[in-house]
Each structure stands twice: as C-alpha cells, then as structure tokens.
Amino acid sequence: MQLVAYSAKRCILNLLNKTRGFMAAGIRNRFEILLSEKEKRERRRISLLEIHNQTGLNWRTLQSWSNNTVTRFDSEILIVLCEYFECDLCDLLQIH
C-alpha cells in the first residue's frame, strides 16, 4: 500500500506540474484503454458487471469511468482500479 501511495503522490505532482499555466486543463481517465489492453492480454471480453463482481465497485461508478464522465476522483476507487488493471495512477489518469 505504501508503494501505491508513493506512486500516486509522484503522479499527482507530475499532473500538477503539467497543468501549471493551463487553467482550462482537465483530467481524463484511460479506463476504456486499460480495459481494452486487459481484454487483449486475456483474449476475452470483460464486462462492467464482471469488473463490479471482482472489485466491488458500484456498477454506475464503473459506467461513469467507462464513459469518461467522472467528475470526482475518490482515492479508494483509484486504488481499486489501479490494482484491477495492475497499473500506476499515471496510467489511469491523464491531463487533457
């Protein structure tokens, strides 16, 4: 868990540095990209219902992530998604 916290802190600092001077910059997620990559690795289709069953995350929350309409980034959800996709926070979020 401490490694995740360090990685998240480093990523947040990188995101803040990238947005300096860009008042209209926003954060977008890469949920669909990571899901597609996981599906290719595992050679199968993965539904949001399956992700819900494996992670315990609310289906509507997953739908918001999938549609890239998330407006609030809860740390608990970020940690669960990073663990599910086996990625760093910087892989999940990007500056747009």
Side-chain angles (χ1 to χ4, degrees), residues 3-94:
L3 181 61
V4 171
Y6 173 76
S7 175
K9 183 177 179 182
R10 187 183 76 234
C11 182
I12 289 169
L13 290 174
N14 286 338
L15 290 172
L16 290 174
N17 285 333
K18 287 179 182 177
T19 59
R20 209 169 289 205
F22 295 99
M23 292 179 64
I27 298 175
R28 295 185 55 93
N29 76 67
R30 297 182 66 244
F31 181 93
E32 278 296 313
I33 294 167
L34 294 172
L35 179 57
S36 176
E37 290 172 355
K38 185 175 179 75
E39 288 176 333
K40 286 178 186 174
R41 276 194 315 272
E42 297 183 9
R43 296 183 178 158
R44 64 187 186 91
R45 175 98 167 85
I46 302 171
S47 69
L48 294 182
L49 182 59
E50 181 180 340
I51 298 171
H52 160 74
N53 290 335
Q54 290 184 8
T55 64
L57 293 175
N58 183 289
W59 189 86
R60 289 190 189 273
T61 298
L62 292 170
Q63 191 175 32
S64 294
W65 276 87
S66 179
N67 294 332
N68 214 343
T69 58
V70 176
T71 57
R72 194 171 113 201
F73 299 96
D74 293 322
S75 60
E76 296 86 11
I77 294 171
L78 293 171
I79 290 168
V80 169
L81 289 175
C82 285
E83 288 174 353
Y84 178 77
F85 288 119
E86 298 176 356
C87 69
D88 289 330
L89 183 60
C90 287
D91 298 325
L92 183 61
L93 302 176
Q94 71 179 158

